[in-house]
Amino acid sequence: MNKLKTITYALLSIIATMATTSCADWLKVDLEDSVLEDKLYENNDGYFAALNGVYAKMNETYASTLTMGHIDVMAQYYNVAKNSEHAYFPFANYKYSENEFKSISDNVWTSLYFYIANLNTLIEHCDASDSKLSPVYKPYIKGEALALRAFFHFDLLRLYGPIYSTKTENNSAIPYQETSSKSIQPILNAKQVAEKIMRDLNEASLLLKDDRIIKEGVMNGMADDPNEKTLLRYRQFRLNYYAIQAMKARLYLWTGDKANALATAKSIIEENNKHNTFTWIEKKAVTTGNNPNYIFSTEVMFALYNKSRAKTYEMLFSPKADMKNTLYFKGESTAEGDLLSKLTYFYDDMGDLRRNNTWTVEELTANGQGGTTSKHKSICLKKFADTNGDTNFRYMQPLMRLSEIYLIAAECATTPEEALPFINELRKARNCVNMELPATDAEKAVQNMVWREFMREMIGEGQLFFFYKRHAAEQMMSGTEFGKSNAWTGTVTALEGTYKMALDNYVWPLPEAVEANRRAKN
C-alpha cells in the first residue's frame, strides 16, 4: 500500500520492549534510561516516534482481543457451543477463573497501562520548559496523547468498572494514571475515573480545535510538499478532533447523561454535514470492483493502521483454520427465510449491504480424535478479508465510525419521532427500507431498532459487549441457539435464540496481582 507506507509506524526499541511481564509491576513500563529518554525527545521527530509508537503497539491489543476476537465473542455473536473444545469457550461462557481468561485479562491491563505510561512521559516532555517540540506540532502531539490516555482509561473502565448508574458510580473501578511516576496510584471510583476521562477529552478537544481534518478532510494521501509531516495527514488513523467528540458522546452515554450525549452527537452530525468529512459508503464501492470496501472506510472516524489485519482475519474467520479456532454464525445458508440460519434473524432486509456482501458460506474442517476430520458448512464473516492490491483501507482497523453517532442520537432523542430520522438515515445508507413507528410502545420499538442496527454495524469492532453492559441487559441474541423469545427487546420473534446473561459477567475481575495489592492497602 504505497500511499500509506509513510505511516507504517516504526517503534523505537526503547519503547517497543515492555520493562516487565508481571502484572504486579504494571506501572514499571516507562522509559528506564533517562539518557535514552532525553535523546528521544531532543527534536520533533523523536516526539513523532514516541506517539506513533503507541499507535503501533495498540495493534497488539486492539487488532484481535478488543475488536474482532474475545470481546465480540463475549457479546454472543458467534456459534461457540457450550461444553465444547472451542478456543473461545472460556470467553463465550465468562469463565473468569480459567487460565485462558486470566492470561488475556492480564495482558489487556498491562498493555493499556503500558501505553498510558509512555503517553504520560510524552505529555510531560511536551509541557517541559525546555521542550524541543515545535509550537506548530504541539497541539497535535499533546492533543492526541491526551485523547489516547482518555481512550485507554475509558476502555479499562468499561471492562473492569461496574455497570454505571447513580447507584454504582461510587463503586471502585480502576486507577487513573496521569504522571510518569512509577508509584501505583489508588483505585478510584467509577465517577472519579469518568470525570478525569472527560477532563482529558476536553483539553484534547481545545488543543485540536483547528485540526486540519475539519476543513481539509482525512487526507489519506501524500502531500504535494515533500517536507510536510505525515503527523498532519492520514487523520483517520489518528485520534482526530471528530473522534474526540465521538469519545465524549460515548462517555456521556456511558454515564447516563443522555442530554449531553444527544447534543454532542447532533453537533458532530451538523459539523460533518457542513464539511462532508465522513461520507456514507456508496453502494458500488461495496458491490463492484476487485476490491470491495466491506469496512465502509469513508465512514470510519478513527482506525488503527494494522498491516497484520489479513493475518488476524485468517486466524479468526478463515476456513483454512480448524473449526474449533474459527468464529462463524450458526447455520449453513445465506438464503432468504432459512429458519436455521442466524442471518435470518440478524437482518431484516434482504437488500442490506451488510447482509449480502460481508458474509459467505464456507466449509470448515473439524479435526477429531485419531486424526479424523469432518466438513461443516458455516456462515463466515469476510468483513476484514484482505484486498487484492493497494487501497486506502487495506490495513484499516475501525475503532469509531459515523453510524455510531447516528445511533447515539437516536437512542438519546427526546421522542420517538425525533429518533426515527437518525435510524432511517443509517438504513438508507445500508440500502434498507425505512422503519416506521408503531401505534403503541413507540419508544420501546425505537430502542429495539437502535440495538439491532448497533449489532449489525459493530460486528468485528468490539462495541456490542459494552452496549449490553451499559443497558444491564439480561438477554442477548444467542450465537448458538434458536427457538427462544427475545425478552430484552420486548418482542417475541419466532425461533430467534437468546442468551440469558448474569449481570456479574459484565464486570471483568481485576487481575489477581492488582486485586491482591488493593486488599493489602485496605
Side-chain angles (χ1 to χ4, degrees):
M1 184 173 180
N2 295 330
K3 289 184 178 180
L4 290 179
K5 282 182 180 177
T6 53
I7 59 165
T8 303
Y9 305 121
L11 189 59
L12 298 182
S13 60
I14 53 175
I15 300 175
T17 304
M18 284 192 182
T20 179
T21 57
S22 168
C23 200
D25 297 328
W26 58 273
L27 278 178
K28 297 181 180 179
V29 292
D30 49 347
L31 302 175
E32 297 286 350
D33 192 322
S34 60
V35 175
L36 289 175
E37 181 180 324
D38 290 341
K39 183 74 174 176
L40 176 66
Y41 292 109
E42 67 179 6
N43 56 41
N44 290 326
D45 288 342
Y47 285 85
F48 301 158
L51 181 59
N52 289 347
V54 176
Y55 281 115
K57 292 293 285 185
M58 284 177 69
N59 283 307
E60 298 177 8
T61 311
Y62 284 87
S64 175
T65 300
L66 294 181
T67 53
M68 297 189 215
H70 304 84
I71 199 70
D72 260 9
V73 170
M74 297 178 77
Q76 300 299 319
Y77 271 120
Y78 304 110
N79 188 16
V80 180
K82 294 182 179 179
N83 303 318
S84 74
E85 296 181 352
H86 198 285
Y88 286 89
F89 171 81
F91 302 91
N93 294 279
Y94 316 101
K95 301 293 184 181
Y96 293 144
S97 62
E98 295 197 8
N99 289 333
E100 292 91 339
F101 173 81
K102 290 180 181 179
S103 176
I104 290 295
S105 177
D106 286 356
N107 181 66
V108 168
W109 181 277
T110 304
S111 296
L112 266 59
Y113 278 111
F114 164 65
Y115 309 152
I116 291 167
N118 282 286
L119 289 168
N120 287 334
T121 299
L122 173 59
I123 292 167
E124 289 174 5
H125 277 274
C126 286
D127 290 337
S129 59
D130 60 348
S131 174
K132 306 299 191 298
L133 180 61
S134 166
V136 174
Y137 301 124
K138 182 175 179 179
Y140 288 90
I141 295 288
K142 185 180 178 183
E144 289 180 32
L146 283 166
L148 283 168
R149 185 169 78 181
F151 184 91
F152 298 135
H153 279 110
F154 188 33
D155 276 352
L156 286 162
L157 175 64
R158 293 198 294 177
L159 288 167
Y160 297 97
I163 299 172
Y164 200 101
S165 70
T166 54
K167 294 181 180 179
T168 65
E169 64 183 13
N170 292 318
N171 291 6
S172 65
I174 61 167
Y176 203 93
Q177 184 66 18
E178 49 196 321
T179 74
S180 62
S181 169
K182 296 176 187 177
S183 61
I184 297 177
Q185 299 301 301
I187 292 178
L188 304 180
N189 65 43
K191 183 178 181 180
Q192 291 170 322
V193 174
E195 288 172 345
K196 287 179 178 291
I197 294 170
M198 186 59 74
R199 178 207 61 196
D200 279 355
L201 291 174
N202 284 334
E203 185 176 353
S205 184
L206 286 173
L207 285 165
L208 286 165
K209 62 182 174 59
D210 297 319
D211 191 338
R212 291 178 66 185
I213 194 173
I214 298 172
K215 294 184 178 179
E216 299 181 58
V218 298
M219 296 181 288
N220 285 345
M222 297 295 292
D224 293 333
D225 181 358
N227 296 316
E228 182 177 335
K229 299 293 185 182
T230 57
L231 170 75
L232 305 183
R233 303 187 67 82
Y234 301 97
R235 298 305 294 164
Q236 278 179 295
F237 294 94
R238 314 190 76 89
L239 245 176
N240 59 74
Y241 174 82
Y242 284 107
I244 292 168
Q245 307 317 307
M247 271 284 295
K248 290 171 70 172
R250 269 187 188 175
L251 181 58
Y252 280 130
L253 191 52
W254 185 260
T255 59
D257 187 349
K258 286 191 172 184
N260 274 317
L262 175 62
T264 304
K266 290 171 73 172
S267 175
I268 295 169
I269 292 169
E270 181 180 355
E271 190 158 18
N272 184 60
N273 287 342
K274 177 181 178 182
H275 297 288
N276 210 32
T277 305
F278 305 102
T279 58
W280 297 116
I281 194 72
E282 294 184 7
K283 182 179 178 180
K284 64 181 180 181
V286 184
T287 59
T288 62
N290 295 325
N291 292 305
N293 191 339
Y294 295 143
I295 62 169
F296 306 165
S297 65
T298 59
E299 306 171 12
V300 175
M301 303 178 77
F302 173 46
L304 297 181
Y305 181 74
N306 178 17
K307 292 197 73 174
S308 297
R309 195 189 81 182
K311 182 178 180 181
T312 305
Y313 163 81
E314 294 287 341
M315 291 189 301
L316 292 175
F317 305 108
S318 170
K320 298 176 183 179
D322 188 330
M323 195 169 185
K324 70 171 183 272
N325 299 316
T326 307
L327 301 178
Y328 54 91
F329 263 20
K330 187 176 180 67
E332 299 182 0
S333 168
T334 60
E336 182 177 7
D338 184 346
L339 298 181
L340 298 179
S341 169
K342 184 173 179 177
L343 290 186
T344 298
Y345 314 108
F346 199 72
Y347 297 100
D348 60 14
D349 192 312
M350 278 300 295
D352 196 321
L353 291 177
R354 298 163 296 190
R355 185 192 198 283
N356 295 332
N357 298 281
T358 58
W359 297 95
T360 182
V361 175
E362 301 282 0
E363 277 200 336
L364 303 183
T365 301
N367 295 316
Q369 295 181 347
T372 61
T373 62
S374 58
K375 297 285 187 179
H376 301 268
K377 286 186 177 180
S378 296
I379 304 167
C380 296
L381 183 69
K382 58 180 181 179
K383 181 176 180 178
F384 301 102
D386 199 9
T387 63
N388 295 321
D390 278 359
T391 66
N392 63 8
F393 57 84
R394 184 180 187 185
Y395 303 127
M396 182 177 281
Q397 182 89 43
L399 296 178
M400 291 181 178
R401 61 172 60 249
L402 182 63
S403 55
E404 181 182 357
I405 305 306
Y406 277 78
L407 292 175
I408 289 174
E411 182 175 343
C412 298
T414 55
T415 67
E417 290 75 17
E418 182 186 18
L420 193 63
F422 294 114
I423 297 170
N424 283 334
E425 180 73 14
L426 169 58
R427 288 180 62 85
K428 179 182 177 182
R430 299 297 177 255
N431 199 44
C432 297
V433 298
N434 281 349
M435 301 297 285
E436 296 181 359
L437 295 176
T440 59
D441 291 331
E443 186 173 338
K444 185 177 289 186
V446 163
Q447 296 308 312
N448 184 39
M449 294 175 200
V450 169
W451 164 61
R452 290 180 182 274
E453 294 301 335
F454 197 93
M455 279 198 304
R456 296 161 190 153
E457 282 295 298
M458 301 301 166
I459 190 165
E461 301 183 20
Q463 297 303 317
L464 184 59
F465 178 78
F466 300 126
F467 182 95
Y468 285 136
K469 180 173 181 175
R470 179 165 55 78
H471 283 276
E474 298 185 55
Q475 302 281 353
M476 302 177 178
M477 180 182 284
S478 175
T480 61
E481 298 182 31
F482 297 145
K484 297 180 179 179
S485 65
N486 196 331
W488 182 69
T489 64
T491 64
V492 177
T493 304
L495 296 182
E496 181 180 293
T498 57
Y499 182 94
K500 187 175 182 180
M501 183 67 165
L503 295 183
D504 289 346
N505 287 340
Y506 285 118
V507 182
W508 283 24
L510 292 176
E512 290 179 348
V514 178
E515 177 63 19
N517 181 72
R518 185 186 71 83
R519 290 180 178 177
K521 287 193 171 184
N522 291 340

